[in-house]
Amino acid sequence: MHPWLGSLFGGILIGAAAVLLMAGLGRIAGISGIAGGLIRPGVTDRIWRLAFVLGLVLAPLLLGLLRGDTGIGAVQVALPWMALAGLLVGIGTGVGSGCTSGHGVCGIARLSPRSLLATAVFMASGIATVYVVRHLLGGLA
Amino acid sequence: MKILVALLSGLLFGLGLSLGGMTDPAVVLAFLDLFGAWDPRLAFVMLGAVLTTAVGYRLVLRRPRPLLEDSFQLPKARHFDIRLIAGAALFGIGWGIAGYCPGPALASLSGGATSLLVLVASMVAGWWLAARLPSNNR
């Protein structure tokens, strides 16, 4: 299969997951919202959130059993950069109320102006960051 | 039943991420490398996901309520604010540094990389901090 077709199919599965969650539980399939909700004060519905995250974690293992390749790629940057990246992703998606899934997929599918803006901003910021890292700094050792 | 639907949805979501190439940070970073050796694969993931969700939501949201809950919980905020823009900008920087957004970071945990565990732990710490910032009205 052409890699682009594989990616399109992967995207369709993500969409199917989002539709299933909306049809069943009436929830947006935003990962930062679902997983972040596990530690948000006042949140009482932790069990479905845990179940969703469990499914997410188990999926590549299932894929590995089915086709021998989990699809999990190697980490690209050294540990201190991973720590910094995680903190920025956590604070950013927490403060900005969403990530690639909540804003980028579910929000755009609903034509939410907030999500369209957020997606444009994090795409631009991600592209700018990779530009600075790769083409100005020559990579992160 | 709710737990089963959530588990199944998470499973489908994770399969989509893996098959789409999003659990490989090299592919993600190559997608963001617009001015280098650009890899368009993630655009196809986004396209497939957005179109499927747009059509599916249209059908589902016609119903009076979800199958297992009393009401649909859709985001109500409509205004642009500094939190949305600054948050998205910070997220993009983190995404561009390591190539992980929250879904793929969690889905890649079973790969066993210690530094990914560190990334997920600091991401959770970031969520914890963000939820306790003042004027967080969610």
mmCIF file of all heavy atoms in Angstrom, chain A residues 7 10-11 15 17 23-24 26 39 47 52 55 60 71 73-74 83 86 90 92-94 100 106 114 122 125-126 129 134-135, chain B residues 3 6-7 9 11 16 20 23 25 33 41 45 49 53 57 67-68 73 77 79 87-89 92-93 101 107 122-124 127 138:
data_model
loop_
_atom_site.group_PDB
_atom_site.id
_atom_site.type_symbol
_atom_site.label_atom_id
_atom_site.label_comp_id
_atom_site.label_asym_id
_atom_site.label_seq_id
_atom_site.Cartn_x
_atom_site.Cartn_y
_atom_site.Cartn_z
ATOM 1 N N SER A 7 -1.821 6.352 5.404
ATOM 2 C CA SER A 7 -2.090 7.485 6.279
ATOM 3 C C SER A 7 -3.546 7.925 6.187
ATOM 4 O O SER A 7 -4.171 8.254 7.195
ATOM 5 C CB SER A 7 -1.166 8.651 5.931
ATOM 6 O OG SER A 7 0.138 8.353 6.366
ATOM 7 N N GLY A 10 -5.454 5.453 8.128
ATOM 8 C CA GLY A 10 -5.251 5.733 9.557
ATOM 9 C C GLY A 10 -6.130 6.891 10.007
ATOM 10 O O GLY A 10 -6.765 6.842 11.061
ATOM 11 N N GLY A 11 -6.196 7.926 9.183
ATOM 12 C CA GLY A 11 -7.025 9.084 9.494
ATOM 13 C C GLY A 11 -8.502 8.713 9.582
ATOM 14 O O GLY A 11 -9.221 9.187 10.467
ATOM 15 N N GLY A 15 -11.062 9.181 12.674
ATOM 16 C CA GLY A 15 -12.383 9.788 12.538
ATOM 17 C C GLY A 15 -13.478 8.858 13.056
ATOM 18 O O GLY A 15 -14.397 9.295 13.757
ATOM 19 N N ALA A 17 -13.176 6.632 15.331
ATOM 20 C CA ALA A 17 -13.077 6.636 16.795
ATOM 21 C C ALA A 17 -13.780 7.861 17.375
ATOM 22 O O ALA A 17 -14.512 7.764 18.375
ATOM 23 C CB ALA A 17 -11.600 6.626 17.214
ATOM 24 N N ALA A 23 -21.142 9.401 19.365
ATOM 25 C CA ALA A 23 -22.413 8.673 19.290
ATOM 26 C C ALA A 23 -22.723 7.976 20.610
ATOM 27 O O ALA A 23 -23.871 7.956 21.062
ATOM 28 C CB ALA A 23 -22.364 7.651 18.149
ATOM 29 N N GLY A 24 -21.705 7.412 21.244
ATOM 30 C CA GLY A 24 -21.934 6.655 22.467
ATOM 31 C C GLY A 24 -22.005 7.524 23.704
ATOM 32 O O GLY A 24 -22.968 7.470 24.465
ATOM 33 N N GLY A 26 -21.241 11.052 23.740
ATOM 34 C CA GLY A 26 -21.486 12.475 23.518
ATOM 35 C C GLY A 26 -20.280 13.333 23.799
ATOM 36 O O GLY A 26 -20.403 14.510 24.141
ATOM 37 N N ILE A 39 -6.624 14.344 35.769
ATOM 38 C CA ILE A 39 -5.993 15.032 36.906
ATOM 39 C C ILE A 39 -6.560 16.430 37.107
ATOM 40 O O ILE A 39 -5.994 17.239 37.819
ATOM 41 C CB ILE A 39 -4.456 15.124 36.718
ATOM 42 C CG1 ILE A 39 -4.128 15.729 35.351
ATOM 43 C CG2 ILE A 39 -3.793 13.779 36.871
ATOM 44 C CD1 ILE A 39 -2.734 16.299 35.273
ATOM 45 N N ILE A 47 -13.535 7.027 34.862
ATOM 46 C CA ILE A 47 -13.423 5.642 34.394
ATOM 47 C C ILE A 47 -13.417 5.539 32.861
ATOM 48 O O ILE A 47 -12.572 4.856 32.280
ATOM 49 C CB ILE A 47 -14.526 4.778 35.026
ATOM 50 C CG1 ILE A 47 -14.262 4.690 36.532
ATOM 51 C CG2 ILE A 47 -14.547 3.378 34.424
ATOM 52 C CD1 ILE A 47 -15.294 3.931 37.299
ATOM 53 N N PHE A 52 -10.466 4.873 27.700
ATOM 54 C CA PHE A 52 -10.044 5.402 26.398
ATOM 55 C C PHE A 52 -8.519 5.411 26.291
ATOM 56 O O PHE A 52 -7.945 4.964 25.298
ATOM 57 C CB PHE A 52 -10.605 6.819 26.200
ATOM 58 C CG PHE A 52 -10.283 7.414 24.855
ATOM 59 C CD1 PHE A 52 -11.169 7.273 23.795
ATOM 60 C CD2 PHE A 52 -9.088 8.085 24.645
ATOM 61 C CE1 PHE A 52 -10.861 7.812 22.540
ATOM 62 C CE2 PHE A 52 -8.773 8.623 23.397
ATOM 63 C CZ PHE A 52 -9.669 8.483 22.355
ATOM 64 N N GLY A 55 -7.138 1.964 25.806
ATOM 65 C CA GLY A 55 -7.279 1.534 24.413
ATOM 66 C C GLY A 55 -6.197 2.140 23.540
ATOM 67 O O GLY A 55 -5.587 1.472 22.705
ATOM 68 N N PRO A 60 -1.161 0.000 19.572
ATOM 69 C CA PRO A 60 0.024 -0.415 18.819
ATOM 70 C C PRO A 60 0.451 -1.854 19.134
ATOM 71 O O PRO A 60 0.969 -2.551 18.259
ATOM 72 C CB PRO A 60 1.100 0.582 19.270
ATOM 73 C CG PRO A 60 0.342 1.768 19.749
ATOM 74 C CD PRO A 60 -0.887 1.203 20.381
ATOM 75 N N GLY A 71 4.378 0.075 14.649
ATOM 76 C CA GLY A 71 4.306 1.422 14.085
ATOM 77 C C GLY A 71 4.949 2.470 14.979
ATOM 78 O O GLY A 71 4.964 3.642 14.632
ATOM 79 N N GLY A 73 7.809 4.525 16.321
ATOM 80 C CA GLY A 73 9.126 4.896 15.816
ATOM 81 C C GLY A 73 10.066 5.307 16.924
ATOM 82 O O GLY A 73 9.656 5.517 18.065
ATOM 83 N N ALA A 74 11.342 5.425 16.581
ATOM 84 C CA ALA A 74 12.357 5.764 17.579
ATOM 85 C C ALA A 74 12.267 7.232 17.981
ATOM 86 O O ALA A 74 11.939 8.096 17.167
ATOM 87 C CB ALA A 74 13.746 5.475 17.012
ATOM 88 N N ALA A 83 11.927 16.169 27.919
ATOM 89 C CA ALA A 83 11.290 16.705 29.127
ATOM 90 C C ALA A 83 10.698 18.084 28.846
ATOM 91 O O ALA A 83 9.550 18.371 29.211
ATOM 92 C CB ALA A 83 12.317 16.775 30.267
ATOM 93 N N GLY A 86 7.623 17.810 26.508
ATOM 94 C CA GLY A 86 6.442 17.314 27.211
ATOM 95 C C GLY A 86 5.773 18.407 28.025
ATOM 96 O O GLY A 86 4.541 18.560 28.000
ATOM 97 N N GLY A 90 2.089 19.830 27.414
ATOM 98 C CA GLY A 90 1.093 19.742 28.479
ATOM 99 C C GLY A 90 0.495 21.099 28.821
ATOM 100 O O GLY A 90 -0.720 21.279 28.828
ATOM 101 N N GLY A 92 0.678 23.894 27.057
ATOM 102 C CA GLY A 92 0.055 24.495 25.873
ATOM 103 C C GLY A 92 -1.325 23.932 25.579
ATOM 104 O O GLY A 92 -2.275 24.684 25.362
ATOM 105 N N THR A 93 -1.452 22.610 25.607
ATOM 106 C CA THR A 93 -2.758 22.023 25.297
ATOM 107 C C THR A 93 -3.725 22.221 26.461
ATOM 108 O O THR A 93 -4.932 22.317 26.258
ATOM 109 C CB THR A 93 -2.660 20.516 24.962
ATOM 110 O OG1 THR A 93 -2.037 19.831 26.059
ATOM 111 C CG2 THR A 93 -1.849 20.290 23.704
ATOM 112 N N GLY A 94 -3.188 22.313 27.676
ATOM 113 C CA GLY A 94 -4.047 22.576 28.830
ATOM 114 C C GLY A 94 -4.615 23.986 28.779
ATOM 115 O O GLY A 94 -5.820 24.192 28.870
ATOM 116 N N THR A 100 -3.976 18.337 18.763
ATOM 117 C CA THR A 100 -4.158 17.965 17.367
ATOM 118 C C THR A 100 -5.496 17.261 17.139
ATOM 119 O O THR A 100 -6.105 17.418 16.084
ATOM 120 C CB THR A 100 -3.000 17.023 16.957
ATOM 121 O OG1 THR A 100 -1.922 17.234 17.860
ATOM 122 C CG2 THR A 100 -2.543 17.316 15.557
ATOM 123 N N CYS A 106 -11.528 17.107 15.652
ATOM 124 C CA CYS A 106 -12.940 17.267 16.041
ATOM 125 C C CYS A 106 -13.421 18.700 15.840
ATOM 126 O O CYS A 106 -14.521 18.939 15.339
ATOM 127 C CB CYS A 106 -13.140 16.845 17.493
ATOM 128 S SG CYS A 106 -12.723 15.117 17.772
ATOM 129 N N ARG A 114 -12.713 28.764 16.881
ATOM 130 C CA ARG A 114 -11.628 28.662 17.858
ATOM 131 C C ARG A 114 -10.647 27.564 17.465
ATOM 132 O O ARG A 114 -9.438 27.730 17.533
ATOM 133 C CB ARG A 114 -12.200 28.347 19.251
ATOM 134 C CG ARG A 114 -12.591 29.568 20.062
ATOM 135 C CD ARG A 114 -13.333 29.169 21.327
ATOM 136 N NE ARG A 114 -12.568 28.334 22.250
ATOM 137 C CZ ARG A 114 -11.737 28.833 23.180
ATOM 138 N NH1 ARG A 114 -11.595 30.125 23.310
ATOM 139 N NH2 ARG A 114 -11.080 28.028 23.975
ATOM 140 N N PHE A 122 -0.917 26.316 16.123
ATOM 141 C CA PHE A 122 0.059 25.284 16.521
ATOM 142 C C PHE A 122 0.782 24.681 15.320
ATOM 143 O O PHE A 122 1.928 24.248 15.431
ATOM 144 C CB PHE A 122 -0.509 24.250 17.512
ATOM 145 C CG PHE A 122 -1.573 23.303 17.044
ATOM 146 C CD1 PHE A 122 -1.336 22.363 16.066
ATOM 147 C CD2 PHE A 122 -2.825 23.311 17.656
ATOM 148 C CE1 PHE A 122 -2.324 21.454 15.680
ATOM 149 C CE2 PHE A 122 -3.820 22.415 17.274
ATOM 150 C CZ PHE A 122 -3.566 21.487 16.286
ATOM 151 N N SER A 125 3.422 27.316 14.572
ATOM 152 C CA SER A 125 4.445 27.304 15.605
ATOM 153 C C SER A 125 5.305 26.039 15.517
ATOM 154 O O SER A 125 6.522 26.089 15.701
ATOM 155 C CB SER A 125 3.734 27.484 16.949
ATOM 156 O OG SER A 125 4.365 26.831 17.974
ATOM 157 N N GLY A 126 4.691 24.901 15.202
ATOM 158 C CA GLY A 126 5.449 23.657 15.015
ATOM 159 C C GLY A 126 6.386 23.749 13.821
ATOM 160 O O GLY A 126 7.552 23.343 13.900
ATOM 161 N N THR A 129 9.226 26.056 14.685
ATOM 162 C CA THR A 129 10.169 25.409 15.601
ATOM 163 C C THR A 129 11.097 24.454 14.852
ATOM 164 O O THR A 129 12.315 24.462 15.051
ATOM 165 C CB THR A 129 9.398 24.652 16.700
ATOM 166 O OG1 THR A 129 8.567 25.581 17.387
ATOM 167 C CG2 THR A 129 10.347 23.982 17.682
ATOM 168 N N ARG A 134 16.156 22.740 12.789
ATOM 169 C CA ARG A 134 16.876 22.000 11.751
ATOM 170 C C ARG A 134 17.727 22.885 10.854
ATOM 171 O O ARG A 134 18.813 22.494 10.453
ATOM 172 C CB ARG A 134 15.873 21.244 10.867
ATOM 173 C CG ARG A 134 15.239 20.100 11.599
ATOM 174 C CD ARG A 134 14.723 19.065 10.634
ATOM 175 N NE ARG A 134 14.362 17.868 11.382
ATOM 176 C CZ ARG A 134 13.660 16.870 10.890
ATOM 177 N NH1 ARG A 134 13.240 16.922 9.635
ATOM 178 N NH2 ARG A 134 13.388 15.825 11.624
ATOM 179 N N HIS A 135 17.187 24.055 10.521
ATOM 180 C CA HIS A 135 17.853 24.839 9.484
ATOM 181 C C HIS A 135 18.642 26.017 10.035
ATOM 182 O O HIS A 135 19.490 26.562 9.339
ATOM 183 C CB HIS A 135 16.834 25.291 8.443
ATOM 184 C CG HIS A 135 16.092 24.122 7.843
ATOM 185 N ND1 HIS A 135 16.696 23.184 7.043
ATOM 186 C CD2 HIS A 135 14.813 23.711 8.000
ATOM 187 C CE1 HIS A 135 15.806 22.255 6.701
ATOM 188 N NE2 HIS A 135 14.651 22.551 7.272
ATOM 189 N N ILE B 3 -17.782 2.054 29.366
ATOM 190 C CA ILE B 3 -16.354 1.749 29.447
ATOM 191 C C ILE B 3 -15.904 1.028 28.183
ATOM 192 O O ILE B 3 -14.846 1.306 27.619
ATOM 193 C CB ILE B 3 -16.071 0.910 30.706
ATOM 194 C CG1 ILE B 3 -16.380 1.746 31.951
ATOM 195 C CG2 ILE B 3 -14.647 0.406 30.745
ATOM 196 C CD1 ILE B 3 -16.339 0.969 33.244
ATOM 197 N N ALA B 6 -15.709 3.490 25.278
ATOM 198 C CA ALA B 6 -14.529 4.337 25.421
ATOM 199 C C ALA B 6 -13.261 3.558 25.077
ATOM 200 O O ALA B 6 -12.376 4.059 24.376
ATOM 201 C CB ALA B 6 -14.432 4.894 26.839
ATOM 202 N N LEU B 7 -13.186 2.322 25.556
ATOM 203 C CA LEU B 7 -12.027 1.468 25.268
ATOM 204 C C LEU B 7 -11.891 1.232 23.767
ATOM 205 O O LEU B 7 -10.804 1.354 23.188
ATOM 206 C CB LEU B 7 -12.177 0.138 26.004
ATOM 207 C CG LEU B 7 -11.019 -0.855 25.858
ATOM 208 C CD1 LEU B 7 -9.800 -0.402 26.648
ATOM 209 C CD2 LEU B 7 -11.426 -2.253 26.309
ATOM 210 N N SER B 9 -13.150 3.032 21.336
ATOM 211 C CA SER B 9 -12.815 4.283 20.660
ATOM 212 C C SER B 9 -11.316 4.583 20.801
ATOM 213 O O SER B 9 -10.659 4.954 19.819
ATOM 214 C CB SER B 9 -13.659 5.423 21.238
ATOM 215 O OG SER B 9 -13.250 6.651 20.690
ATOM 216 N N LEU B 11 -8.970 2.421 21.282
ATOM 217 C CA LEU B 11 -8.276 1.399 20.483
ATOM 218 C C LEU B 11 -8.251 1.789 18.999
ATOM 219 O O LEU B 11 -7.203 1.756 18.347
ATOM 220 C CB LEU B 11 -9.004 0.070 20.674
ATOM 221 C CG LEU B 11 -8.221 -1.235 20.594
ATOM 222 C CD1 LEU B 11 -6.995 -1.234 21.472
ATOM 223 C CD2 LEU B 11 -9.125 -2.401 20.962
ATOM 224 N N GLY B 16 -5.422 4.006 14.338
ATOM 225 C CA GLY B 16 -5.328 5.035 13.307
ATOM 226 C C GLY B 16 -4.030 5.819 13.392
ATOM 227 O O GLY B 16 -3.377 6.075 12.380
ATOM 228 N N GLY B 20 -1.296 5.506 10.572
ATOM 229 C CA GLY B 20 -1.107 6.764 9.863
ATOM 230 C C GLY B 20 0.316 7.302 9.915
ATOM 231 O O GLY B 20 0.663 8.230 9.196
ATOM 232 N N THR B 23 2.777 7.708 15.238
ATOM 233 C CA THR B 23 3.554 7.224 16.381
ATOM 234 C C THR B 23 5.044 7.142 16.037
ATOM 235 O O THR B 23 5.829 6.619 16.809
ATOM 236 C CB THR B 23 3.058 5.837 16.856
ATOM 237 O OG1 THR B 23 2.945 4.990 15.710
ATOM 238 C CG2 THR B 23 1.706 5.953 17.538
ATOM 239 N N PRO B 25 7.914 9.724 15.488
ATOM 240 C CA PRO B 25 8.211 11.165 15.541
ATOM 241 C C PRO B 25 9.038 11.643 14.353
ATOM 242 O O PRO B 25 8.984 12.823 14.000
ATOM 243 C CB PRO B 25 8.973 11.335 16.855
ATOM 244 C CG PRO B 25 9.422 9.979 17.244
ATOM 245 C CD PRO B 25 8.455 9.005 16.657
ATOM 246 N N ASP B 33 8.600 19.852 8.744
ATOM 247 C CA ASP B 33 9.782 20.411 8.087
ATOM 248 C C ASP B 33 9.418 20.894 6.683
ATOM 249 O O ASP B 33 9.891 20.368 5.676
ATOM 250 C CB ASP B 33 10.896 19.353 8.030
ATOM 251 C CG ASP B 33 12.242 19.963 7.651
ATOM 252 O OD1 ASP B 33 12.330 21.204 7.548
ATOM 253 O OD2 ASP B 33 13.187 19.186 7.449
ATOM 254 N N ARG B 41 2.672 12.957 4.665
ATOM 255 C CA ARG B 41 1.793 11.903 5.158
ATOM 256 C C ARG B 41 0.755 12.369 6.181
ATOM 257 O O ARG B 41 -0.397 11.968 6.140
ATOM 258 C CB ARG B 41 2.623 10.761 5.769
ATOM 259 C CG ARG B 41 2.755 9.588 4.810
ATOM 260 C CD ARG B 41 3.513 8.471 5.456
ATOM 261 N NE ARG B 41 4.948 8.711 5.423
ATOM 262 C CZ ARG B 41 5.848 7.873 5.955
ATOM 263 N NH1 ARG B 41 5.440 6.777 6.553
ATOM 264 N NH2 ARG B 41 7.125 8.138 5.871
ATOM 265 N N VAL B 45 -3.462 11.949 6.998
ATOM 266 C CA VAL B 45 -4.108 11.528 8.252
ATOM 267 C C VAL B 45 -5.179 12.551 8.637
ATOM 268 O O VAL B 45 -6.333 12.206 8.927
ATOM 269 C CB VAL B 45 -3.084 11.396 9.407
ATOM 270 C CG1 VAL B 45 -3.779 11.022 10.703
ATOM 271 C CG2 VAL B 45 -2.016 10.368 9.068
ATOM 272 N N ALA B 49 -9.196 11.947 8.770
ATOM 273 C CA ALA B 49 -9.841 12.080 10.078
ATOM 274 C C ALA B 49 -10.901 13.177 10.062
ATOM 275 O O ALA B 49 -12.015 12.992 10.559
ATOM 276 C CB ALA B 49 -8.784 12.374 11.149
ATOM 277 N N THR B 53 -14.893 12.493 10.452
ATOM 278 C CA THR B 53 -15.532 13.080 11.638
ATOM 279 C C THR B 53 -16.636 14.059 11.224
ATOM 280 O O THR B 53 -17.723 14.063 11.821
ATOM 281 C CB THR B 53 -14.483 13.811 12.506
ATOM 282 O OG1 THR B 53 -13.414 12.910 12.778
ATOM 283 C CG2 THR B 53 -15.083 14.275 13.818
ATOM 284 N N TYR B 57 -20.196 13.224 12.530
ATOM 285 C CA TYR B 57 -20.802 14.152 13.501
ATOM 286 C C TYR B 57 -22.146 14.659 12.980
ATOM 287 O O TYR B 57 -23.107 14.807 13.724
ATOM 288 C CB TYR B 57 -19.879 15.347 13.752
ATOM 289 C CG TYR B 57 -18.844 15.155 14.847
ATOM 290 C CD1 TYR B 57 -18.595 13.906 15.404
ATOM 291 C CD2 TYR B 57 -18.117 16.231 15.336
ATOM 292 C CE1 TYR B 57 -17.646 13.749 16.399
ATOM 293 C CE2 TYR B 57 -17.163 16.080 16.337
ATOM 294 C CZ TYR B 57 -16.932 14.833 16.863
ATOM 295 O OH TYR B 57 -15.988 14.685 17.852
ATOM 296 N N LEU B 67 -26.106 7.681 22.703
ATOM 297 C CA LEU B 67 -26.734 6.406 23.061
ATOM 298 C C LEU B 67 -26.658 6.115 24.553
ATOM 299 O O LEU B 67 -27.590 5.557 25.124
ATOM 300 C CB LEU B 67 -26.056 5.260 22.284
ATOM 301 C CG LEU B 67 -26.210 5.335 20.761
ATOM 302 C CD1 LEU B 67 -25.283 4.332 20.072
ATOM 303 C CD2 LEU B 67 -27.667 5.078 20.374
ATOM 304 N N LEU B 68 -25.546 6.506 25.198
ATOM 305 C CA LEU B 68 -25.321 6.060 26.578
ATOM 306 C C LEU B 68 -25.295 7.197 27.603
ATOM 307 O O LEU B 68 -25.014 6.964 28.776
ATOM 308 C CB LEU B 68 -23.995 5.287 26.657
ATOM 309 C CG LEU B 68 -23.863 4.111 25.690
ATOM 310 C CD1 LEU B 68 -22.435 3.563 25.706
ATOM 311 C CD2 LEU B 68 -24.847 3.012 26.039
ATOM 312 N N GLN B 73 -21.839 16.688 24.978
ATOM 313 C CA GLN B 73 -21.049 17.719 25.654
ATOM 314 C C GLN B 73 -20.123 18.376 24.643
ATOM 315 O O GLN B 73 -19.006 17.907 24.428
ATOM 316 C CB GLN B 73 -20.249 17.096 26.795
ATOM 317 C CG GLN B 73 -21.180 16.431 27.780
ATOM 318 C CD GLN B 73 -20.661 16.553 29.200
ATOM 319 O OE1 GLN B 73 -19.792 17.356 29.487
ATOM 320 N NE2 GLN B 73 -21.216 15.759 30.094
ATOM 321 N N ALA B 77 -17.427 27.553 24.405
ATOM 322 C CA ALA B 77 -16.682 28.812 24.203
ATOM 323 C C ALA B 77 -16.673 29.181 22.724
ATOM 324 O O ALA B 77 -16.519 28.326 21.855
ATOM 325 C CB ALA B 77 -15.256 28.644 24.714
ATOM 326 N N HIS B 79 -15.375 32.619 21.812
ATOM 327 C CA HIS B 79 -14.537 33.798 21.630
ATOM 328 C C HIS B 79 -13.058 33.403 21.473
ATOM 329 O O HIS B 79 -12.633 32.360 21.959
ATOM 330 C CB HIS B 79 -14.688 34.712 22.841
ATOM 331 C CG HIS B 79 -14.309 34.017 24.116
ATOM 332 N ND1 HIS B 79 -15.105 33.050 24.693
ATOM 333 C CD2 HIS B 79 -13.207 34.113 24.896
ATOM 334 C CE1 HIS B 79 -14.507 32.591 25.782
ATOM 335 N NE2 HIS B 79 -13.358 33.212 25.926
ATOM 336 N N GLY B 87 -1.599 29.233 24.260
ATOM 337 C CA GLY B 87 -1.553 27.790 24.506
ATOM 338 C C GLY B 87 -1.187 27.032 23.246
ATOM 339 O O GLY B 87 -0.291 26.171 23.248
ATOM 340 N N ALA B 88 -1.852 27.364 22.136
ATOM 341 C CA ALA B 88 -1.577 26.674 20.871
ATOM 342 C C ALA B 88 -0.134 26.924 20.431
ATOM 343 O O ALA B 88 0.538 26.017 19.925
ATOM 344 C CB ALA B 88 -2.566 27.126 19.794
ATOM 345 N N ALA B 89 0.352 28.155 20.649
ATOM 346 C CA ALA B 89 1.724 28.480 20.241
ATOM 347 C C ALA B 89 2.742 27.666 21.049
ATOM 348 O O ALA B 89 3.685 27.102 20.490
ATOM 349 C CB ALA B 89 1.979 29.978 20.403
ATOM 350 N N GLY B 92 2.690 24.056 19.958
ATOM 351 C CA GLY B 92 3.395 23.867 18.683
ATOM 352 C C GLY B 92 4.905 23.790 18.865
ATOM 353 O O GLY B 92 5.579 23.001 18.198
ATOM 354 N N ILE B 93 5.434 24.589 19.788
ATOM 355 C CA ILE B 93 6.885 24.557 20.040
ATOM 356 C C ILE B 93 7.284 23.182 20.592
ATOM 357 O O ILE B 93 8.227 22.555 20.108
ATOM 358 C CB ILE B 93 7.297 25.686 21.022
ATOM 359 C CG1 ILE B 93 7.032 27.052 20.386
ATOM 360 C CG2 ILE B 93 8.777 25.554 21.396
ATOM 361 C CD1 ILE B 93 7.234 28.225 21.336
ATOM 362 N N CYS B 101 2.623 14.868 19.799
ATOM 363 C CA CYS B 101 1.474 15.529 20.390
ATOM 364 C C CYS B 101 0.872 14.514 21.379
ATOM 365 O O CYS B 101 1.349 13.378 21.458
ATOM 366 C CB CYS B 101 0.492 16.014 19.325
ATOM 367 S SG CYS B 101 -0.015 14.796 18.109
ATOM 368 N N ALA B 107 0.206 6.740 22.960
ATOM 369 C CA ALA B 107 0.138 5.494 22.185
ATOM 370 C C ALA B 107 1.508 4.851 22.022
ATOM 371 O O ALA B 107 1.611 3.648 21.801
ATOM 372 C CB ALA B 107 -0.504 5.765 20.814
ATOM 373 N N SER B 122 6.196 14.752 32.001
ATOM 374 C CA SER B 122 6.210 16.222 32.040
ATOM 375 C C SER B 122 4.972 16.795 31.352
ATOM 376 O O SER B 122 4.507 17.877 31.717
ATOM 377 C CB SER B 122 7.503 16.817 31.479
ATOM 378 O OG SER B 122 7.959 16.129 30.375
ATOM 379 N N MET B 123 4.416 16.068 30.380
ATOM 380 C CA MET B 123 3.157 16.503 29.756
ATOM 381 C C MET B 123 2.029 16.493 30.803
ATOM 382 O O MET B 123 1.244 17.439 30.904
ATOM 383 C CB MET B 123 2.816 15.573 28.583
ATOM 384 C CG MET B 123 1.523 15.864 27.873
ATOM 385 S SD MET B 123 1.376 14.886 26.341
ATOM 386 C CE MET B 123 0.838 13.299 27.000
ATOM 387 N N VAL B 124 1.978 15.428 31.593
ATOM 388 C CA VAL B 124 0.962 15.331 32.652
ATOM 389 C C VAL B 124 1.169 16.445 33.672
ATOM 390 O O VAL B 124 0.218 17.087 34.128
ATOM 391 C CB VAL B 124 0.992 13.937 33.313
ATOM 392 C CG1 VAL B 124 0.078 13.894 34.535
ATOM 393 C CG2 VAL B 124 0.574 12.859 32.305
ATOM 394 N N TRP B 127 -0.278 19.531 32.222
ATOM 395 C CA TRP B 127 -1.745 19.548 32.354
ATOM 396 C C TRP B 127 -2.141 19.925 33.776
ATOM 397 O O TRP B 127 -3.070 20.685 34.002
ATOM 398 C CB TRP B 127 -2.331 18.170 32.011
ATOM 399 C CG TRP B 127 -2.330 17.854 30.549
ATOM 400 C CD1 TRP B 127 -2.345 18.747 29.515
ATOM 401 C CD2 TRP B 127 -2.331 16.545 29.949
ATOM 402 N NE1 TRP B 127 -2.353 18.074 28.319
ATOM 403 C CE2 TRP B 127 -2.344 16.741 28.554
ATOM 404 C CE3 TRP B 127 -2.322 15.247 30.462
ATOM 405 C CZ2 TRP B 127 -2.356 15.666 27.649
ATOM 406 C CZ3 TRP B 127 -2.332 14.187 29.566
ATOM 407 C CH2 TRP B 127 -2.346 14.382 28.186
ATOM 408 N N ARG B 138 -12.764 26.226 32.873
ATOM 409 C CA ARG B 138 -13.394 25.014 32.373
ATOM 410 C C ARG B 138 -13.914 24.160 33.509
ATOM 411 O O ARG B 138 -13.317 24.116 34.568
ATOM 412 C CB ARG B 138 -12.414 24.199 31.537
ATOM 413 C CG ARG B 138 -12.348 24.732 30.146
ATOM 414 C CD ARG B 138 -11.336 23.959 29.356
ATOM 415 N NE ARG B 138 -10.082 23.865 30.103
ATOM 416 C CZ ARG B 138 -9.244 22.840 29.987
ATOM 417 N NH1 ARG B 138 -9.534 21.848 29.236
ATOM 418 N NH2 ARG B 138 -8.118 22.828 30.660
#
